[in-house]
Amino acid sequence: MLRFAQSSSRTFLRTMSAQASSTIPKTQKAWFLNETGDLDVVKYDDFPVPKIGDKDVLVKNKYAGVNFIEAYYRKGIYPLQKPYVLGQEASGTVVAIGEDVQGLEVNDKVAYVAGASMAQYTKVGSDKLLVKLPASTSDDQLKIYAASMISVLTALTFTKECYSIQKGDFALLYAAAGSAGLAFDQTLKKAGARVIAVASTDAKLKLAQEYGAEFLINSSKEDILERVQQITNGEGVSVVYDSVGKDTFETTLDAVKRKGTVVSYGNASGPVEPVVLAKLSPKNVKLLRPRIFGYLGSQEEWEYYSNELVTAVNSGEVTIPISKTYSMSEYKQAATELEARKTTGKTVLEIS
């Protein structure tokens, strides 16, 4: 009887998926590129709706986060396959499911980390970085999740895996008022770190302070290394989280203390030049170049960190302020402001 009930339920779900699939268009609006270059190479046009495999789901996106990493792909800093559909994270509703998908149904609300999210529809592996959300999840909550997935997961994994924060550790944090920076401000403070925030304006620093930073350095008018030495009484910091890259790397190496850790995770000013490993020897410095996917490679890791994410977001323990929501067609304007360092918090696209 139980086996029959399970089979009937499964058949019903497949019927729902087939019915939903019949209403899915063949083409969609998406942001994509066929060549590398400046923002003018990015196109907003018709693009095929992806076909799902047995272990995939098709998500109709409601909101997508705007991330600086798209500039790295667009400029050719990171390799990509063309045509390349932009986007790394989003939230929305499942509209079709593959034959072997377990635990998800058509009409489920989800948030995920996966490529090609700046499109009306995205194919996501059901065994990938996807979170099923409660049926009661509102549009405002979907927006919060689209703004939080990468930033919060980055902060949660890096502050646990790259360096184990001890109470009282000094942590130097660049871009402290961006979406990832604000997530770091909060997670580092909770872990007991004394956060030294670096940003380019007093307004950004004030925001970083509101979210947990203890010390503030205005990089447009203060010497970062000099201020770090003052704050730490000449010892240096235990860990540096550097998303700027080329322009700050030497300062970062000088600012970290003996046996400290450098976490280089971005290229906002350009890629770091090749490093002679002997430069790390005088202070026995540890140097990492992590990505969140390397910490979420197993099902156990994903379950742990996705639960941490949901708890942090739902409780308000980690919040990412959304600076502005653009319509889907306005991506270029959103990217221009982000790349010009004119934003704080997170920028989100509403997909329609």
Side-chain angles (χ1 to χ4, degrees):
M1 180 70 73
L2 178 59
R3 183 178 300 172
F4 175 76
Q6 289 175 335
S7 176
S8 298
S9 175
R10 202 71 184 155
T11 301
F12 173 71
L13 292 176
R14 295 304 165 210
T15 300
M16 286 182 61
S17 183
Q19 291 173 342
S21 297
S22 66
T23 66
I24 296 170
K26 300 295 184 183
T27 60
Q28 60 174 329
K29 290 296 184 184
W31 282 100
F32 61 95
L33 54 83
N34 291 304
E35 58 183 316
T36 56
D38 294 327
L39 269 171
D40 58 359
V41 303
V42 181
K43 299 180 179 180
Y44 180 59
D45 208 338
D46 290 339
F47 198 85
V49 172
K51 295 182 179 180
I52 61 172
D54 290 342
K55 295 183 178 181
D56 300 326
V57 299
L58 188 67
V59 179
K60 189 177 191 302
N61 296 315
K62 179 63 177 177
Y63 295 100
V66 179
N67 293 286
F68 207 102
I69 195 172
E70 296 304 338
Y72 306 156
Y73 284 114
R74 191 189 74 236
K75 295 175 182 178
I77 296 173
Y78 291 167
L80 55 82
Q81 289 186 333
K82 306 181 188 74
Y84 170 80
V85 178
L86 279 62
Q88 304 293 324
E89 61 186 337
S91 60
T93 303
V94 174
V95 293
I97 54 177
E99 286 292 331
D100 297 334
V101 173
Q102 302 288 332
L104 290 169
E105 302 174 7
V106 170
N107 294 325
D108 278 347
K109 295 180 180 181
V110 295
Y112 63 88
V113 178
S117 66
M118 287 187 191
Q120 291 174 305
Y121 296 89
T122 301
K123 177 177 73 173
V124 184
S126 62
D127 57 346
K128 302 300 182 184
L129 309 187
L130 180 147
V131 176
K132 180 179 176 180
L133 303 174
S136 59
T137 301
S138 66
D139 281 358
D140 284 345
Q141 290 170 316
L142 283 175
K143 185 189 294 189
I144 290 169
Y145 269 98
S148 302
M149 293 297 289
I150 289 179
S151 297
V152 176
L153 283 170
T154 298
L156 290 174
T157 55
F158 286 15
T159 55
K160 188 177 183 67
E161 304 275 358
C162 297
Y163 173 80
S164 181
I165 297 290
Q166 304 299 309
K167 185 175 177 60
D169 281 343
F170 285 104
L172 180 62
L173 175 66
Y174 291 93
S179 59
L182 293 173
F184 272 113
D185 289 326
Q186 295 165 82
T187 54
L188 286 168
K189 182 179 180 180
K190 182 188 176 186
R194 306 185 71 184
V195 181
I196 304 173
V198 180
S200 59
T201 69
D202 290 338
K204 289 181 179 181
L205 288 171
K206 182 180 179 182
L207 184 62
Q209 187 174 43
E210 291 172 1
Y211 280 77
E214 183 177 352
F215 304 96
L216 310 176
I217 301 176
N218 187 323
S219 59
S220 66
K221 56 187 180 184
E222 294 182 282
D223 184 286
I224 295 172
L225 181 60
E226 183 179 318
R227 286 285 290 122
V228 167
Q229 294 300 317
Q230 291 172 353
I231 293 166
T232 64
N233 292 319
E235 184 178 4
V237 298
S238 298
V239 60
V240 185
Y241 299 95
D242 187 346
S243 60
V244 178
K246 182 179 179 180
D247 290 352
T248 54
F249 187 71
E250 293 299 327
T251 298
T252 290
L253 287 181
D254 290 337
V256 72
K257 73 177 186 179
R258 184 176 65 87
K259 297 194 290 185
T261 299
V262 171
V263 183
S264 176
Y265 73 102
N267 309 292
S269 65
V272 174
E273 298 292 336
V275 179
V276 177
L277 291 179
K279 293 185 72 170
L280 308 177
S281 299
K283 293 190 289 185
N284 285 354
V285 171
K286 301 180 185 71
L287 173 62
L288 294 88
R289 177 65 185 188
R291 297 182 67 192
I292 60 171
F293 305 105
Y295 296 129
L296 304 172
S298 71
Q299 187 62 32
E300 293 76 17
E301 289 170 330
W302 172 241
E303 288 180 0
Y304 174 80
Y305 281 113
S306 63
N307 287 333
E308 290 282 298
L309 166 77
V310 171
T311 299
V313 172
N314 288 350
S315 68
E317 185 177 287
V318 179
T319 60
I320 306 298
I322 298 171
S323 60
K324 192 167 183 179
T325 303
Y326 291 88
S327 66
M328 185 180 180
S329 62
E330 295 177 314
Y331 167 71
K332 285 189 178 182
Q333 181 180 345
T336 297
E337 294 188 2
L338 177 65
E339 293 175 32
R341 319 290 199 278
K342 294 181 178 180
T343 64
T344 58
K346 192 75 172 190
T347 301
V348 172
L349 293 186
E350 182 171 7
I351 308 297
S352 59

PDB file of all heavy atoms in Angstrom, residues 78-100:
ATOM      1  N   TYR A  78      38.678  35.743 -15.608  1.00  0.00           N
ATOM      2  CA  TYR A  78      38.319  34.353 -15.345  1.00  0.00           C
ATOM      3  C   TYR A  78      37.862  33.721 -16.656  1.00  0.00           C
ATOM      4  O   TYR A  78      37.153  34.363 -17.450  1.00  0.00           O
ATOM      5  CB  TYR A  78      37.193  34.254 -14.330  1.00  0.00           C
ATOM      6  CG  TYR A  78      37.552  34.657 -12.914  1.00  0.00           C
ATOM      7  CD1 TYR A  78      36.561  34.861 -11.963  1.00  0.00           C
ATOM      8  CD2 TYR A  78      38.877  34.840 -12.523  1.00  0.00           C
ATOM      9  CE1 TYR A  78      36.866  35.228 -10.660  1.00  0.00           C
ATOM     10  CE2 TYR A  78      39.199  35.206 -11.228  1.00  0.00           C
ATOM     11  CZ  TYR A  78      38.190  35.398 -10.300  1.00  0.00           C
ATOM     12  OH  TYR A  78      38.493  35.761  -9.011  1.00  0.00           O
ATOM     13  N   PRO A  79      38.222  32.462 -16.899  1.00  0.00           N
ATOM     14  CA  PRO A  79      37.812  31.814 -18.148  1.00  0.00           C
ATOM     15  C   PRO A  79      36.305  31.549 -18.171  1.00  0.00           C
ATOM     16  O   PRO A  79      35.679  31.343 -17.121  1.00  0.00           O
ATOM     17  CB  PRO A  79      38.606  30.497 -18.130  1.00  0.00           C
ATOM     18  CG  PRO A  79      38.861  30.230 -16.685  1.00  0.00           C
ATOM     19  CD  PRO A  79      39.041  31.576 -16.051  1.00  0.00           C
ATOM     20  N   LEU A  80      35.742  31.535 -19.363  1.00  0.00           N
ATOM     21  CA  LEU A  80      34.316  31.247 -19.504  1.00  0.00           C
ATOM     22  C   LEU A  80      34.036  30.634 -20.873  1.00  0.00           C
ATOM     23  O   LEU A  80      34.833  30.762 -21.803  1.00  0.00           O
ATOM     24  CB  LEU A  80      33.484  32.515 -19.318  1.00  0.00           C
ATOM     25  CG  LEU A  80      33.792  33.740 -20.203  1.00  0.00           C
ATOM     26  CD1 LEU A  80      33.144  33.642 -21.571  1.00  0.00           C
ATOM     27  CD2 LEU A  80      33.324  35.018 -19.508  1.00  0.00           C
ATOM     28  N   GLN A  81      32.905  29.958 -20.950  1.00  0.00           N
ATOM     29  CA  GLN A  81      32.438  29.413 -22.225  1.00  0.00           C
ATOM     30  C   GLN A  81      31.387  30.362 -22.794  1.00  0.00           C
ATOM     31  O   GLN A  81      30.514  30.832 -22.065  1.00  0.00           O
ATOM     32  CB  GLN A  81      31.844  28.014 -22.030  1.00  0.00           C
ATOM     33  CG  GLN A  81      32.878  26.948 -21.711  1.00  0.00           C
ATOM     34  CD  GLN A  81      32.263  25.558 -21.677  1.00  0.00           C
ATOM     35  OE1 GLN A  81      31.081  25.382 -21.392  1.00  0.00           O
ATOM     36  NE2 GLN A  81      33.065  24.557 -21.976  1.00  0.00           N
ATOM     37  N   LYS A  82      31.471  30.638 -24.065  1.00  0.00           N
ATOM     38  CA  LYS A  82      30.544  31.574 -24.705  1.00  0.00           C
ATOM     39  C   LYS A  82      29.548  30.802 -25.572  1.00  0.00           C
ATOM     40  O   LYS A  82      29.907  29.797 -26.172  1.00  0.00           O
ATOM     41  CB  LYS A  82      31.322  32.577 -25.554  1.00  0.00           C
ATOM     42  CG  LYS A  82      32.425  33.324 -24.802  1.00  0.00           C
ATOM     43  CD  LYS A  82      33.134  34.307 -25.721  1.00  0.00           C
ATOM     44  CE  LYS A  82      34.359  34.915 -25.067  1.00  0.00           C
ATOM     45  NZ  LYS A  82      35.491  33.980 -24.984  1.00  0.00           N
ATOM     46  N   PRO A  83      28.299  31.246 -25.653  1.00  0.00           N
ATOM     47  CA  PRO A  83      27.774  32.428 -24.967  1.00  0.00           C
ATOM     48  C   PRO A  83      27.676  32.209 -23.460  1.00  0.00           C
ATOM     49  O   PRO A  83      27.384  31.103 -23.011  1.00  0.00           O
ATOM     50  CB  PRO A  83      26.389  32.610 -25.588  1.00  0.00           C
ATOM     51  CG  PRO A  83      25.994  31.227 -26.024  1.00  0.00           C
ATOM     52  CD  PRO A  83      27.262  30.574 -26.469  1.00  0.00           C
ATOM     53  N   TYR A  84      27.931  33.272 -22.729  1.00  0.00           N
ATOM     54  CA  TYR A  84      27.934  33.220 -21.269  1.00  0.00           C
ATOM     55  C   TYR A  84      26.771  34.043 -20.744  1.00  0.00           C
ATOM     56  O   TYR A  84      26.666  35.239 -21.022  1.00  0.00           O
ATOM     57  CB  TYR A  84      29.256  33.770 -20.737  1.00  0.00           C
ATOM     58  CG  TYR A  84      29.294  33.981 -19.241  1.00  0.00           C
ATOM     59  CD1 TYR A  84      29.513  32.922 -18.377  1.00  0.00           C
ATOM     60  CD2 TYR A  84      29.102  35.262 -18.698  1.00  0.00           C
ATOM     61  CE1 TYR A  84      29.552  33.119 -17.004  1.00  0.00           C
ATOM     62  CE2 TYR A  84      29.146  35.466 -17.325  1.00  0.00           C
ATOM     63  CZ  TYR A  84      29.368  34.389 -16.484  1.00  0.00           C
ATOM     64  OH  TYR A  84      29.400  34.582 -15.128  1.00  0.00           O
ATOM     65  N   VAL A  85      25.874  33.395 -20.000  1.00  0.00           N
ATOM     66  CA  VAL A  85      24.763  34.111 -19.369  1.00  0.00           C
ATOM     67  C   VAL A  85      25.219  34.574 -17.991  1.00  0.00           C
ATOM     68  O   VAL A  85      25.726  33.786 -17.190  1.00  0.00           O
ATOM     69  CB  VAL A  85      23.517  33.218 -19.243  1.00  0.00           C
ATOM     70  CG1 VAL A  85      22.386  33.979 -18.547  1.00  0.00           C
ATOM     71  CG2 VAL A  85      23.057  32.762 -20.629  1.00  0.00           C
ATOM     72  N   LEU A  86      25.030  35.859 -17.716  1.00  0.00           N
ATOM     73  CA  LEU A  86      25.501  36.441 -16.465  1.00  0.00           C
ATOM     74  C   LEU A  86      24.685  35.949 -15.280  1.00  0.00           C
ATOM     75  O   LEU A  86      23.568  35.463 -15.423  1.00  0.00           O
ATOM     76  CB  LEU A  86      25.431  37.965 -16.534  1.00  0.00           C
ATOM     77  CG  LEU A  86      26.577  38.695 -17.244  1.00  0.00           C
ATOM     78  CD1 LEU A  86      26.666  38.315 -18.709  1.00  0.00           C
ATOM     79  CD2 LEU A  86      26.417  40.204 -17.092  1.00  0.00           C
ATOM     80  N   GLY A  87      25.250  36.157 -14.094  1.00  0.00           N
ATOM     81  CA  GLY A  87      24.531  35.864 -12.855  1.00  0.00           C
ATOM     82  C   GLY A  87      25.109  34.697 -12.092  1.00  0.00           C
ATOM     83  O   GLY A  87      25.579  33.727 -12.686  1.00  0.00           O
ATOM     84  N   GLN A  88      25.066  34.805 -10.756  1.00  0.00           N
ATOM     85  CA  GLN A  88      25.630  33.781  -9.881  1.00  0.00           C
ATOM     86  C   GLN A  88      24.678  33.326  -8.782  1.00  0.00           C
ATOM     87  O   GLN A  88      24.927  32.295  -8.154  1.00  0.00           O
ATOM     88  CB  GLN A  88      26.906  34.316  -9.215  1.00  0.00           C
ATOM     89  CG  GLN A  88      27.959  34.811 -10.180  1.00  0.00           C
ATOM     90  CD  GLN A  88      28.562  33.708 -11.007  1.00  0.00           C
ATOM     91  OE1 GLN A  88      28.743  32.594 -10.529  1.00  0.00           O
ATOM     92  NE2 GLN A  88      28.882  33.991 -12.262  1.00  0.00           N
ATOM     93  N   GLU A  89      23.614  34.062  -8.537  1.00  0.00           N
ATOM     94  CA  GLU A  89      22.706  33.722  -7.435  1.00  0.00           C
ATOM     95  C   GLU A  89      21.336  34.311  -7.732  1.00  0.00           C
ATOM     96  O   GLU A  89      21.214  35.347  -8.392  1.00  0.00           O
ATOM     97  CB  GLU A  89      23.232  34.283  -6.111  1.00  0.00           C
ATOM     98  CG  GLU A  89      23.348  35.802  -6.121  1.00  0.00           C
ATOM     99  CD  GLU A  89      23.997  36.389  -4.887  1.00  0.00           C
ATOM    100  OE1 GLU A  89      23.994  35.734  -3.822  1.00  0.00           O
ATOM    101  OE2 GLU A  89      24.523  37.526  -4.986  1.00  0.00           O
ATOM    102  N   ALA A  90      20.300  33.651  -7.219  1.00  0.00           N
ATOM    103  CA  ALA A  90      18.941  34.146  -7.450  1.00  0.00           C
ATOM    104  C   ALA A  90      17.969  33.406  -6.540  1.00  0.00           C
ATOM    105  O   ALA A  90      18.334  32.469  -5.822  1.00  0.00           O
ATOM    106  CB  ALA A  90      18.534  33.976  -8.913  1.00  0.00           C
ATOM    107  N   SER A  91      16.736  33.843  -6.606  1.00  0.00           N
ATOM    108  CA  SER A  91      15.646  33.164  -5.904  1.00  0.00           C
ATOM    109  C   SER A  91      14.428  33.168  -6.819  1.00  0.00           C
ATOM    110  O   SER A  91      14.296  34.017  -7.704  1.00  0.00           O
ATOM    111  CB  SER A  91      15.326  33.858  -4.585  1.00  0.00           C
ATOM    112  OG  SER A  91      14.927  35.199  -4.818  1.00  0.00           O
ATOM    113  N   GLY A  92      13.546  32.205  -6.609  1.00  0.00           N
ATOM    114  CA  GLY A  92      12.359  32.123  -7.449  1.00  0.00           C
ATOM    115  C   GLY A  92      11.549  30.883  -7.153  1.00  0.00           C
ATOM    116  O   GLY A  92      11.571  30.352  -6.030  1.00  0.00           O
ATOM    117  N   THR A  93      10.875  30.388  -8.178  1.00  0.00           N
ATOM    118  CA  THR A  93       9.940  29.277  -8.021  1.00  0.00           C
ATOM    119  C   THR A  93      10.275  28.155  -9.006  1.00  0.00           C
ATOM    120  O   THR A  93      10.542  28.413 -10.182  1.00  0.00           O
ATOM    121  CB  THR A  93       8.503  29.755  -8.284  1.00  0.00           C
ATOM    122  OG1 THR A  93       8.211  30.845  -7.391  1.00  0.00           O
ATOM    123  CG2 THR A  93       7.496  28.641  -8.057  1.00  0.00           C
ATOM    124  N   VAL A  94      10.243  26.924  -8.521  1.00  0.00           N
ATOM    125  CA  VAL A  94      10.473  25.762  -9.375  1.00  0.00           C
ATOM    126  C   VAL A  94       9.283  25.588 -10.316  1.00  0.00           C
ATOM    127  O   VAL A  94       8.126  25.545  -9.879  1.00  0.00           O
ATOM    128  CB  VAL A  94      10.663  24.486  -8.531  1.00  0.00           C
ATOM    129  CG1 VAL A  94      10.750  23.248  -9.425  1.00  0.00           C
ATOM    130  CG2 VAL A  94      11.914  24.597  -7.661  1.00  0.00           C
ATOM    131  N   VAL A  95       9.562  25.482 -11.634  1.00  0.00           N
ATOM    132  CA  VAL A  95       8.480  25.309 -12.604  1.00  0.00           C
ATOM    133  C   VAL A  95       8.566  23.976 -13.342  1.00  0.00           C
ATOM    134  O   VAL A  95       7.629  23.602 -14.055  1.00  0.00           O
ATOM    135  CB  VAL A  95       8.450  26.466 -13.625  1.00  0.00           C
ATOM    136  CG1 VAL A  95       8.061  27.773 -12.937  1.00  0.00           C
ATOM    137  CG2 VAL A  95       9.785  26.617 -14.340  1.00  0.00           C
ATOM    138  N   ALA A  96       9.673  23.266 -13.199  1.00  0.00           N
ATOM    139  CA  ALA A  96       9.792  21.934 -13.811  1.00  0.00           C
ATOM    140  C   ALA A  96      10.863  21.155 -13.060  1.00  0.00           C
ATOM    141  O   ALA A  96      11.838  21.731 -12.568  1.00  0.00           O
ATOM    142  CB  ALA A  96      10.154  22.040 -15.292  1.00  0.00           C
ATOM    143  N   ILE A  97      10.681  19.836 -12.976  1.00  0.00           N
ATOM    144  CA  ILE A  97      11.637  18.992 -12.267  1.00  0.00           C
ATOM    145  C   ILE A  97      11.991  17.776 -13.105  1.00  0.00           C
ATOM    146  O   ILE A  97      11.167  17.239 -13.854  1.00  0.00           O
ATOM    147  CB  ILE A  97      11.091  18.532 -10.895  1.00  0.00           C
ATOM    148  CG1 ILE A  97       9.732  17.851 -11.033  1.00  0.00           C
ATOM    149  CG2 ILE A  97      10.996  19.698  -9.944  1.00  0.00           C
ATOM    150  CD1 ILE A  97       9.179  17.324  -9.718  1.00  0.00           C
ATOM    151  N   GLY A  98      13.234  17.329 -12.986  1.00  0.00           N
ATOM    152  CA  GLY A  98      13.692  16.155 -13.704  1.00  0.00           C
ATOM    153  C   GLY A  98      13.195  14.861 -13.077  1.00  0.00           C
ATOM    154  O   GLY A  98      12.739  14.832 -11.927  1.00  0.00           O
ATOM    155  N   GLU A  99      13.313  13.766 -13.813  1.00  0.00           N
ATOM    156  CA  GLU A  99      12.769  12.472 -13.396  1.00  0.00           C
ATOM    157  C   GLU A  99      13.343  11.964 -12.081  1.00  0.00           C
ATOM    158  O   GLU A  99      12.663  11.306 -11.304  1.00  0.00           O
ATOM    159  CB  GLU A  99      13.036  11.425 -14.492  1.00  0.00           C
ATOM    160  CG  GLU A  99      12.157  11.561 -15.721  1.00  0.00           C
ATOM    161  CD  GLU A  99      10.698  11.242 -15.429  1.00  0.00           C
ATOM    162  OE1 GLU A  99      10.430  10.429 -14.523  1.00  0.00           O
ATOM    163  OE2 GLU A  99       9.827  11.812 -16.107  1.00  0.00           O
ATOM    164  N   ASP A 100      14.609  12.263 -11.806  1.00  0.00           N
ATOM    165  CA  ASP A 100      15.275  11.709 -10.618  1.00  0.00           C
ATOM    166  C   ASP A 100      15.379  12.687  -9.458  1.00  0.00           C
ATOM    167  O   ASP A 100      16.072  12.417  -8.473  1.00  0.00           O
ATOM    168  CB  ASP A 100      16.688  11.231 -10.992  1.00  0.00           C
ATOM    169  CG  ASP A 100      16.656  10.103 -12.003  1.00  0.00           C
ATOM    170  OD1 ASP A 100      15.651   9.371 -12.058  1.00  0.00           O
ATOM    171  OD2 ASP A 100      17.656   9.966 -12.746  1.00  0.00           O
TER     172      ASP A 100
END
